[in-house]
Amino acid sequence: MKPFDFKCPSCERKHIIQIYSGGMSDADSMRCTNCDATVIFDLYDVALGGKKKLVCECGGKLSRIAPLRCPKCNNIVDISAIKKQINWWGSKEGSPGVIMGKQLDQKKYLDY
């Protein structure tokens, strides 16, 4: 993962975001629909029988298509704003690949 500085367009607070690629690592991510949390799953663990718990510690749902949220103001942050600020042309619009805010421990979100 590679860290970048990012300033929220809504509240102008600076954050460190991380860009990652699931590519050859067989990783997938889900974000919370209510807060800034992200959990990255190792698909190998899921294939071994681990079932994903789809509820965040805040009570929100974990989803592959949940938008990024600012950790300070909780407003939705569009991926295009991130791409523009860090001059990044990586994954296509809406796809996972950015961690902004807290990263949840995957072990708490897999049932075996």
Side-chain angles (χ1 to χ4, degrees):
M1 285 190 247
K2 184 171 182 178
F4 290 93
D5 289 329
F6 174 75
K7 188 164 106 175
C8 174
S10 297
C11 69
E12 299 189 351
R13 171 95 184 249
K14 288 186 180 180
H15 304 284
I16 295 176
I17 61 171
Q18 295 189 47
I19 307 292
Y20 70 92
S21 171
M24 299 298 285
S25 68
D26 293 329
D28 195 8
S29 69
M30 298 180 93
R31 289 189 283 267
C32 180
T33 56
N34 290 345
C35 74
D36 65 331
T38 301
V39 61
I40 297 177
F41 291 101
D42 182 337
L43 296 179
Y44 180 74
D45 287 338
V46 174
L48 287 177
K51 292 187 170 74
K52 297 176 189 173
K53 293 181 187 175
L54 301 178
V55 179
C56 178
E57 57 192 25
C58 78
K61 293 181 181 179
L62 294 174
S63 169
R64 292 190 72 231
I65 60 171
L68 291 162
R69 292 187 176 273
C70 173
K72 170 114 171 101
C73 68
N74 205 38
N75 283 339
I76 292 173
V77 176
D78 189 70
I79 192 81
S80 61
I82 293 172
K83 289 179 180 182
K84 185 176 181 181
Q85 279 192 40
I86 67 172
N87 196 24
W88 174 62
W89 51 270
S91 61
K92 60 186 175 183
E93 186 95 17
S95 62
V98 178
I99 297 174
M100 172 183 279
K102 63 184 165 198
Q103 184 175 352
L104 303 174
D105 181 4
Q106 85 161 13
K107 292 175 187 167
K108 292 181 181 179
Y109 291 89
L110 282 177
D111 281 334
Y112 286 98

